[in-house]
Structure formats: C-alpha cells, structure tokens
Amino acid sequence: MNIITLRCQTMNTQLVDGLAQIIQSLSQEERALLDEKLKKSDGQAAFQRLIELGDKINARRAGKPFDPPIQDYIRQTREERNEQHDEFMRSCFPKSEAK
C-alpha cells in the first residue's frame, strides 16, 4: 500500500467521523429531512440508470421494436409462471379422493 492510498483512507475516515458527528447533532426534524433527501437522490439515480439502460437497448436495436411485442412476452412469461405455480400447489396439496 502506498502513502497516497494510506493518506486517502485516513482522510476518508476523518470525513466519515466528521459527518457522523454532524448527523448525531441534528434534531429529529433535520434527520427526517436528511433521510428524505437521501432517499430522493437514490430514487432519482435509479430512475436515471433505467433511462440510460433504455437508451442503450434502443441504440443496440437501432430503434426496431421487440418481436414479439414486449407486452406479449410479459403475458406469456406470466402465464408460464402461473402454470408452474399451479403445478407446485397441486403437488403440495393433492385432491383427496372421495370415499
């Protein structure tokens, strides 16, 4: 490990310690606001990643639509999953024979 890496780790530790002290000094209202801001930024980042992924998929497909259409694929996959679920439930709870 070189001195630069060691120094960065030390600085990060000091930063985290300072942030922890600041967060601990916040009122309940301020902590709630901080939590809201952090959650909002996480959601925005995830949404942005989804948009970027969609753009990459569209670029790779050169704008061609999915074949079959994505709605048909989702419906088909859902039907397959439901059938697997039904089979599993039948195996766990076989119908009792009438006497």
Side-chain angles (χ1 to χ4, degrees):
M1 182 179 306
N2 63 32
I3 189 71
I4 294 173
T5 303
L6 184 59
R7 185 168 293 199
C8 286
Q9 288 176 346
T10 302
M11 290 188 326
N12 286 341
T13 301
Q14 291 171 350
L15 175 63
V16 170
D17 289 343
L19 289 171
Q21 288 177 349
I22 292 169
I23 291 170
Q24 289 170 350
S25 70
L26 294 175
S27 68
Q28 283 186 329
E29 293 83 15
E30 292 166 331
R31 280 192 186 197
L33 179 61
L34 176 62
D35 287 342
E36 183 180 316
K37 295 274 186 183
L38 291 173
K39 288 177 185 174
K40 184 177 181 182
S41 66
D42 287 346
Q44 287 174 337
F47 183 72
Q48 184 60 39
R49 287 192 305 270
L50 284 174
I51 296 296
E52 290 169 4
L53 178 60
D55 290 344
K56 286 180 184 178
I57 291 170
N58 284 332
R60 188 175 61 225
R61 295 186 54 78
K64 292 188 329 187
F66 287 96
D67 186 26
I70 195 72
Q71 297 88 342
D72 293 348
Y73 178 76
I74 291 170
R75 181 188 45 74
Q76 177 185 353
T77 304
R78 184 177 295 133
E79 289 172 359
E80 291 171 1
R81 185 199 60 223
N82 288 344
E83 181 57 35
Q84 290 170 350
H85 177 264
D86 291 347
E87 286 179 33
F88 174 75
M89 294 303 286
R90 284 191 295 269
S91 71
C92 290
F93 304 102
K95 291 183 180 180
S96 59
E97 295 181 19
K99 292 186 179 185

